[in-house]
């Protein structure tokens, strides 16, 4: 709780802290693209969000000068989409904001900005048959098991890079993407990290890499969001292990349920920033051709699925 209060953006916020500024900009500009993707898009909407987005984009440019950052390009493109949607209605109802919007778009225009990075995207589902998709997904999700035996074959960095890139498609609150993946490779580092975790005995030492998933508390703005770091980074971890599975890389998640004292020792070993929340470890490696995995039987579907009707 103390860490959340101290290091999330719920109490302390300053645009000079670029991580906080980036999260705030994602937060506000996402409201625009989200509104543009609704079944019914109002002719004019979101003046509050627009003002904040304009202010944050200006701050971003002033403080970083980074026109290449995804957050800048996404926000810029979302503002262009917004302007083309609201056009005349905004000009008539709020000429001041319209002018600011127009000026910002003009001033920050760059020839290489891909306007598809913000706003909305048109997708077509008719080419993918539902059968094909579900079959592939079912295969992938049924074939994944927590693996606790690995070969000595080394995983190239590029494979990890590709898996993380795929896992980035995980949804997150307002697209804030709080997650971070730390990869430990040397035997010394892997041992140092794994000794803080009690569930890897008998197999952790066989892993080619030890991954630590963390969440950045600066991405969160209210006390109500206090569980969100674990939710978003947890979902990311799920995508990551499925990506690894699809690439033939086996994995086993390892809990980091540490009490305050143990977490503090772990932080020191992993050299974590104060605003990084450790979520879980994942050990990965190539699996042998044949191996045994724990069955880990699933509960009956009836015990966890309820179709509810609150009026009866
Ligand atoms: C967050 C998390 C923490 C876990 N921690 C451990 C652990 O410390 N040691 C371990 O051997 N397995 C661990 N597991 C693996 C679970 O035991 C395993 O996912 C579960 O039995 C279901 O089996 P399956 O992954 O093969 O489907 C963990 C899984 C998750 C999602």
């Amino acid at each position: 709780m103390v860490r959340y209060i101290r290091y999330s953006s719920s109490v302390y916020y300053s645009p000079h802290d670029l991580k906080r500024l980036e999260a705030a900009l994602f937060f506000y500009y996402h409201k625009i693209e989200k509104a543009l993707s609704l079944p019914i898009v109002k002719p004019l909407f979101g003046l509050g969000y627009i003002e904040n987005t304009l202010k944050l984009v200006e701050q971003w440019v002033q403080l970083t000068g980074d026109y290449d950052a995804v957050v800048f390009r996404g926000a810029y493109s979302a503002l262009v989409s917004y302007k083309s949607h609201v056009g005349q209605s905004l000009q008539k109802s709020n000429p001041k904001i319209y002018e600011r919007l127009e000026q910002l778009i003009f001033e920050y225009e760059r020839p290489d900005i891909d306007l598809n990075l913000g706003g909305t995207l048109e997708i077509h589902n008719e080419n993918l048959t539902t059968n094909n998709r579900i079959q592939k997904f079912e295969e992938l999700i049924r074939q994944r098991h927590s693996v606790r035996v690995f070969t000595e074959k080394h995983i190239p960095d590029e494979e990890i890079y590709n898996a993380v890139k795929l896992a980035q498609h995980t949804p997150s609150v307002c697209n804030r993407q709080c997650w971070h993946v730390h990869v430990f490779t040397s035997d010394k580092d892997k041992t140092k990290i794994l000794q803080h975790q009690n569930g890897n005995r008998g197999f952790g030492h066989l892993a080619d890499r030890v991954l630590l998933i963390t969440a950045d508390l600066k991405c969160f703005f209210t006390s109500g969001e206090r569980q969100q770091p674990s939710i978003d980074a947890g979902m990311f971890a799920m995508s990551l292990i499925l990506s690894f599975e699809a690439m033939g890389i086996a994995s086993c998640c390892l809990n980091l349920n540490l009490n305050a004292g143990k977490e503090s020792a772990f932080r020191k070993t992993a050299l974590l920033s104060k605003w990084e929340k450790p979520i879980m470890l994942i050990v990965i490696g190539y699996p042998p051709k044949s191996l045994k995995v724990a069955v880990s039987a699933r509960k009956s579907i009836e015990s966890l699925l309820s179709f509810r009707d609150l009026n009866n």
Side-chain angles (χ1 to χ4, degrees):
M1 185 186 79
V2 171
R3 187 172 297 281
Y4 189 82
I5 291 170
R6 212 172 266 172
Y7 298 109
S8 75
S9 302
S10 52
V11 179
Y12 304 105
Y13 174 81
S14 158
H16 293 274
D17 183 328
L18 298 183
K19 275 275 184 182
R20 295 181 204 273
L21 174 60
E22 183 192 45
L25 186 47
F26 267 121
F27 175 85
Y28 279 108
Y29 98 72
H30 177 68
K31 305 267 179 210
I32 303 169
E33 51 184 17
K34 176 178 146 185
L36 288 168
S37 74
L38 294 177
I40 298 172
V41 187
K42 292 183 191 158
L44 185 59
F45 64 88
L47 290 178
Y49 298 143
I50 286 295
E51 280 199 288
N52 277 319
T53 307
L54 291 171
K55 185 181 83 188
L56 292 167
V57 169
E58 276 158 7
Q59 283 176 345
W60 180 267
V61 171
Q62 278 161 18
L63 293 170
T64 70
D66 185 357
Y67 294 96
D68 292 330
V70 169
V71 74
F72 167 78
R73 294 185 165 221
Y76 180 88
S77 312
L79 288 172
V80 172
S81 297
Y82 178 78
K83 183 176 166 253
S84 83
H85 175 77
V86 295
Q88 301 283 313
S89 1
L90 180 63
Q91 199 171 13
K92 272 188 208 140
S93 70
N94 204 321
K96 262 195 185 155
I97 294 189
Y98 182 83
E99 210 174 286
R100 243 182 105 194
L101 178 63
E102 197 171 46
Q103 199 186 333
L104 183 144
I105 290 174
F106 175 73
E107 196 178 332
Y108 297 156
E109 191 180 8
R110 295 288 177 284
D112 63 334
I113 293 187
D114 174 6
L115 292 179
N116 289 322
L117 216 53
T120 57
L121 171 74
E122 190 126 356
I123 56 170
H124 302 279
N125 284 320
E126 67 263 27
N127 294 336
L128 284 168
T129 65
T130 310
N131 268 348
N132 203 346
R133 282 174 103 180
I134 190 73
Q135 206 181 325
K136 282 187 178 161
F137 181 66
E138 193 172 332
E139 236 169 64
L140 180 70
I141 205 151
R142 282 187 188 275
Q143 264 170 19
R144 189 211 57 82
H145 295 278
S146 291
V147 168
R148 299 177 179 89
V149 50
F150 305 102
T151 65
E152 284 183 359
K153 192 175 158 196
H154 185 56
I155 304 169
D157 287 357
E158 200 187 348
E159 292 284 278
I160 295 174
Y161 181 91
N162 290 339
V164 170
K165 214 162 165 42
L166 268 185
Q168 280 193 287
H169 290 271
T170 305
S172 63
V173 65
C174 301
N175 197 27
R176 275 178 260 166
Q177 307 167 59
C178 67
W179 43 69
H180 193 98
V181 185
H182 303 258
V183 182
F184 299 98
T185 305
S186 75
D187 284 343
K188 209 170 157 194
D189 284 356
K190 287 188 288 186
T191 308
K192 266 187 178 175
I193 294 293
L194 287 176
Q195 73 191 8
H196 290 267
Q197 203 276 343
N198 58 11
N200 71 89
R201 225 168 293 145
F203 68 96
H205 64 288
L206 299 175
D208 180 56
R209 313 283 192 124
V210 174
L211 274 44
L212 163 63
I213 311 296
T214 61
D216 187 339
L217 298 181
K218 290 182 180 180
C219 293
F220 301 97
F221 297 104
T222 63
S223 60
E225 291 186 331
R226 66 195 181 281
Q227 313 289 359
Q228 206 61 41
S230 308
I231 295 170
D232 285 4
M235 287 178 65
F236 172 82
M238 181 74 230
S239 302
L240 187 58
I241 64 173
L242 285 177
S243 304
F244 282 133
E245 178 64 30
M247 298 165 75
I249 295 170
S251 68
C252 184
C253 301
L254 299 174
N255 77 82
L256 276 180
N257 302 324
L258 307 170
N259 66 25
K262 287 185 175 164
E263 185 180 311
S264 163
F266 177 72
R267 291 178 160 284
K268 274 196 194 129
T269 300
L271 303 176
L272 291 186
S273 322
K274 293 187 168 113
W275 43 88
E276 257 183 302
K277 180 178 167 68
I279 303 297
M280 70 175 84
L281 298 175
I282 305 177
V283 284
I284 57 171
Y286 286 111
K289 283 217 166 71
S290 61
L291 70 154
K292 283 187 176 155
V293 293
V295 173
S296 295
R298 295 324 200 237
K299 296 178 186 175
S300 75
I301 185 83
E302 293 74 22
S303 70
L304 60 108
L305 175 67
S306 316
F307 293 95
R308 308 274 308 277
D309 176 355
L310 295 178
N311 298 313
N312 285 303

